[in-house]
Amino acid sequence: MPFRFRPVDTTFYDLFAQLANHLVGGAELLAEMLSNGGDREGVAQRMRDAEHHADETTHEIVRRVNSTFVTPFDREDIYALASGLDDVMDHMEEAVDLVLLYGVHELPSELAHQVEVLQRAAELTAEAMPRLETMKNLDEYWIEINRLENSGDKSYRRILAKLFSGQYEALEVLKLKDVVDSLEAAIDAFETVANTVEQISVKES
Amino acid sequence: MPFRFRPVDTTFYDLFAQLANHLVGGAELLAEMLSNGGDREGVAQRMRDAEHHADETTHEIVRRVNSTFVTPFDREDIYALASGLDDVMDHMEEAVDLVLLYGVHELPSELAHQVEVLQRAAELTAEAMPRLETMKNLDEYWIEINRLENSGDKSYRRILAKLFSGQYEALEVLKLKDVVDSLEAAIDAFETVANTVEQISVKES
Amino acid sequence: MPFRFRPVDTTFYDLFAQLANHLVGGAELLAEMLSNGGDREGVAQRMRDAEHHADETTHEIVRRVNSTFVTPFDREDIYALASGLDDVMDHMEEAVDLVLLYGVHELPSELAHQVEVLQRAAELTAEAMPRLETMKNLDEYWIEINRLENSGDKSYRRILAKLFSGQYEALEVLKLKDVVDSLEAAIDAFETVANTVEQISVKES
């Protein structure tokens, strides 16, 4: 028996899928907060829970990387992917949190497009994670994320132009800009995740 | 003689302890600045000196990593730890600097808790650095830093809520938010240092 | 023939020089925007083109790293250098973009020094890139970049003090601070590039 088969720990894929699914939930909560009749306190509480679950999954991945001899791809890429997904959640949670903390009365309707981008990016990411096992059909995922990020960027700039157009008071601009920046950071973090997946895919192919 | 003993350079631990001690001094200067009777110009000058010393120690560590064949732990971890400690100092110096630069008249009393967190975190970090040599009793250090960071985060949010409550003018909010953000960034940087130590400890154990 | 000669791909140096030359063009566009008679829309369009070209060169470098067996220096350092240069361009483009987006009427004359620093740093970087091949005379480059960054930092602080002096309305401070922060981030990004070159040079020497 010259070759001993060493099984890779497939549950890494499950954990990444699980982490991405927390992001799907988080993006839905953002959409709920935007519908102005929503119960903001309730949304914020469920967002904190989602963020907590994402943290636990991230720690589970890190623990497993450190205790597993054979990993499905480079350790540093597993770290990068896990912490990238966790960053998305942190920015989404921050956005909800700031709305409550600052006592923002009315969110400009333009934010809806940013949140749609986040919902779509979360779904695409959750669908892509299981495909890490075969490394097949991942290019359509990262191409679409890049397209979404571009679209989100255009929204972001339109919102900034509106905020600084003179129709908002300086203090309100300050508040809204922090919220909008958090959403934009969440979208950018999805792109970072997609870049990491591309990097992994190029290495492994 | 089948095995040649290769001594590790123990002075890395001394340099890390020295760097952390600069942070203890920096946190004390922040506390001095908060006591409103303090000589702010004098504090700022001593803070610049402390930041300069920290820079020198950081460069000494980097130089030594590059010229030493055997390091006590991974080169990249030594870089991460040194630059993490240096980041703390940069944020503390920035906070003092902005107070003078912006001509902030009165610092809200709520900042005192952020500074207390920084003082405690600096002391704990300085005490932990020599323990890197044996890798013993480090878990209590990073657990406590994480607890402090959570506590600092709550203060930070309370301060933001106060800043945006309407009792401050927009320009004053802008000024104070930059100062408070620098203190918060310093606290976060202590957590990054603790995470690096945890990472090193897991790898080496 | 016990040793097979493996040629290194010299075109990496050409690509880095090309990328740095895009930055020289970008810095010139910033200077053009500052001269208040300038056609800002036209400048912004040419800046977007420059940014696009820089992106393409960066991707070309990354593609080549991934498909080349022997690289002139560590893969991770090539990534760091390429993405560092790309970051400079992103921040310069952002500055121009914000001026238009926010509808900034008049740019304080103090910005001229920041832009001069960027022009000089871009030229020095473009001149240094071909010297990566021999690793000779690179120290004068990074020493001068560090000196420029210090000088830029002093300007930055003078501008902030002016912005918060009370002569600007809060909303105008918000707008101008974002522009000035982008320029400062571009200068810092040049320093990060110089630090990467220093790091590479120390390793290879």
Side-chain angles (χ1 to χ4, degrees):
Chain A
M1 200 177 78
F3 180 80
R4 173 144 168 249
F5 179 69
R6 303 190 303 188
V8 297
D9 193 346
T10 52
T11 60
F12 273 111
Y13 309 111
D14 302 333
L15 289 169
F16 282 126
Q18 191 177 312
L19 191 43
N21 277 320
H22 292 313
L23 304 184
V24 173
E28 273 165 26
L29 287 167
L30 283 174
E32 197 174 328
M33 183 190 64
L34 272 193
S35 62
N36 272 304
D39 163 27
R40 284 181 181 180
E41 286 286 356
V43 166
Q45 186 51 55
R46 280 182 287 151
M47 192 61 124
R48 273 192 290 275
D49 292 345
E51 197 266 333
H52 189 67
H53 292 315
D55 262 358
E56 281 175 352
T57 308
T58 305
H59 282 132
E60 175 61 26
I61 292 173
V62 170
R63 235 190 328 270
R64 216 166 276 213
V65 169
N66 288 327
S67 63
T68 303
F69 189 64
V70 184
T71 54
F73 32 90
D74 282 355
R75 259 153 238 274
E76 60 183 19
D77 291 327
I78 295 177
Y79 282 125
L81 189 51
S83 73
L85 290 164
D86 198 44
D87 284 348
V88 174
M89 184 53 103
D90 287 348
H91 292 300
M92 294 200 298
E93 199 260 331
E94 184 182 56
V96 168
D97 193 45
L98 290 175
V99 169
L100 256 89
L101 201 59
Y102 291 174
V104 175
H105 294 298
E106 215 189 303
L107 291 164
S109 59
E110 282 85 356
L111 270 64
H113 186 249
Q114 281 190 305
V115 172
E116 277 163 28
V117 165
L118 284 169
Q119 287 187 283
R120 189 73 196 113
E123 285 159 15
L124 284 168
T125 305
E127 285 164 25
M129 289 301 108
R131 300 209 295 274
L132 283 169
E133 193 162 359
T134 59
M135 292 286 167
K136 289 216 166 71
N137 305 111
L138 283 165
D139 48 352
E140 58 200 54
Y141 147 69
W142 70 66
I143 290 168
E144 181 62 10
I145 293 286
N146 275 283
R147 202 197 57 74
L148 279 168
E149 193 275 335
N150 276 330
S151 160
D153 206 45
K154 288 205 183 80
S155 298
Y156 175 63
R157 296 150 62 91
R158 267 197 302 273
I159 298 172
L160 286 189
K162 185 180 175 179
L163 285 185
F164 284 96
S165 65
Q167 70 177 287
Y168 292 96
E169 278 183 27
L171 202 64
E172 202 64 23
V173 173
L174 259 176
K175 290 178 182 182
L176 291 172
K177 185 157 187 291
D178 269 6
V179 175
V180 170
D181 280 349
S182 298
L183 295 176
E184 169 72 2
I187 296 174
D188 285 349
F190 268 121
E191 196 187 22
T192 301
V193 168
N195 290 345
T196 303
V197 170
E198 182 177 3
Q199 198 85 347
I200 293 171
S201 168
V202 168
K203 267 201 225 171
E204 302 292 321
S205 67
Chain B
M1 197 177 80
F3 180 80
R4 176 147 166 247
F5 179 69
R6 303 189 302 187
V8 298
D9 193 347
T10 53
T11 59
F12 273 113
Y13 310 110
D14 302 333
L15 288 169
F16 282 125
Q18 192 177 313
L19 191 44
N21 276 319
H22 291 313
L23 303 184
V24 173
E28 272 165 27
L29 286 167
L30 283 174
E32 197 174 330
M33 183 190 63
L34 271 194
S35 62
N36 272 304
D39 163 28
R40 284 182 181 179
E41 286 286 357
V43 167
Q45 186 51 55
R46 280 182 285 151
M47 192 61 126
R48 273 193 289 276
D49 293 344
E51 197 267 332
H52 189 67
H53 292 314
D55 262 357
E56 281 176 351
T57 308
T58 305
H59 282 134
E60 175 60 26
I61 292 173
V62 170
R63 234 188 330 269
R64 216 164 275 213
V65 169
N66 288 327
S67 64
T68 302
F69 189 64
V70 184
T71 53
F73 32 90
D74 281 356
R75 258 154 238 274
E76 60 184 18
D77 291 327
I78 294 177
Y79 282 125
L81 189 52
S83 73
L85 291 163
D86 198 44
D87 284 348
V88 174
M89 184 54 104
D90 287 348
H91 293 299
M92 294 200 299
E93 198 260 331
E94 184 182 55
V96 169
D97 194 44
L98 290 176
V99 168
L100 257 90
L101 201 58
Y102 291 174
V104 174
H105 293 298
E106 214 190 304
L107 292 164
S109 60
E110 283 84 356
L111 269 65
H113 186 248
Q114 282 190 304
V115 172
E116 278 163 29
V117 165
L118 285 168
Q119 287 187 283
R120 189 73 195 113
E123 285 159 15
L124 285 167
T125 305
E127 286 163 24
M129 289 301 107
R131 300 209 296 272
L132 283 169
E133 192 162 0
T134 58
M135 293 286 167
K136 289 215 166 73
N137 304 111
L138 284 166
D139 49 351
E140 58 201 53
Y141 147 70
W142 70 65
I143 290 168
E144 181 61 10
I145 293 286
N146 275 283
R147 201 197 59 74
L148 279 168
E149 194 275 335
N150 276 330
S151 159
D153 205 45
K154 289 205 182 80
S155 299
Y156 176 63
R157 297 150 63 90
R158 266 196 304 272
I159 298 170
L160 287 188
K162 184 179 174 179
L163 285 185
F164 285 97
S165 65
Q167 69 176 286
Y168 291 96
E169 277 183 28
L171 202 64
E172 202 62 24
V173 173
L174 259 176
K175 290 178 182 181
L176 291 172
K177 186 158 187 289
D178 269 5
V179 175
V180 171
D181 280 348
S182 298
L183 295 176
E184 169 71 3
I187 296 174
D188 285 348
F190 269 122
E191 196 187 22
T192 301
V193 168
N195 290 344
T196 303
V197 170
E198 182 177 4
Q199 199 84 348
I200 293 170
S201 169
V202 168
K203 266 201 226 172
E204 303 293 322
S205 66
Chain C
M1 199 177 78
F3 180 80
R4 175 144 166 249
F5 179 69
R6 303 188 303 187
V8 298
D9 193 346
T10 52
T11 60
F12 273 112
Y13 310 111
D14 301 333
L15 288 169
F16 281 125
Q18 192 177 311
L19 191 43
N21 277 319
H22 292 313
L23 303 184
V24 173
E28 273 165 26
L29 287 168
L30 282 174
E32 198 175 327
M33 184 190 63
L34 271 194
S35 62
N36 272 304
D39 163 28
R40 284 182 182 180
E41 286 285 357
V43 167
Q45 186 52 55
R46 280 183 286 150
M47 192 60 125
R48 273 191 291 275
D49 293 343
E51 197 267 332
H52 189 67
H53 291 316
D55 262 358
E56 281 175 352
T57 308
T58 306
H59 282 134
E60 176 60 25
I61 293 172
V62 171
R63 237 190 326 271
R64 215 164 277 212
V65 168
N66 287 326
S67 64
T68 303
F69 190 64
V70 183
T71 54
F73 32 90
D74 282 355
R75 259 154 238 274
E76 60 183 19
D77 290 329
I78 294 177
Y79 282 124
L81 190 52
S83 72
L85 290 163
D86 198 44
D87 284 348
V88 175
M89 184 53 103
D90 287 348
H91 292 300
M92 295 201 298
E93 198 260 331
E94 184 182 56
V96 169
D97 193 44
L98 290 175
V99 169
L100 257 90
L101 200 61
Y102 291 174
V104 174
H105 294 297
E106 216 189 303
L107 291 164
S109 60
E110 282 84 356
L111 270 64
H113 186 248
Q114 282 190 305
V115 172
E116 277 163 29
V117 165
L118 284 169
Q119 287 187 282
R120 188 74 196 113
E123 285 159 14
L124 284 168
T125 305
E127 285 164 24
M129 289 300 108
R131 300 208 297 274
L132 283 169
E133 192 162 359
T134 58
M135 293 287 168
K136 289 215 165 73
N137 304 111
L138 283 166
D139 48 351
E140 57 200 54
Y141 148 70
W142 71 66
I143 289 167
E144 181 62 10
I145 293 286
N146 275 282
R147 201 198 57 75
L148 280 168
E149 194 275 335
N150 275 330
S151 159
D153 204 46
K154 288 206 183 78
S155 299
Y156 175 64
R157 297 150 63 88
R158 266 195 304 272
I159 298 170
L160 286 188
K162 185 181 174 178
L163 285 185
F164 285 96
S165 65
Q167 70 177 287
Y168 292 97
E169 277 182 30
L171 202 64
E172 203 64 22
V173 174
L174 259 175
K175 291 177 182 181
L176 291 172
K177 186 158 187 288
D178 270 4
V179 175
V180 171
D181 280 348
S182 298
L183 296 175
E184 168 72 2
I187 296 173
D188 285 348
F190 268 122
E191 196 187 23
T192 302
V193 167
N195 290 344
T196 303
V197 170
E198 182 177 4
Q199 199 84 346
I200 293 171
S201 169
V202 168
K203 267 200 227 173
E204 303 293 321
S205 66

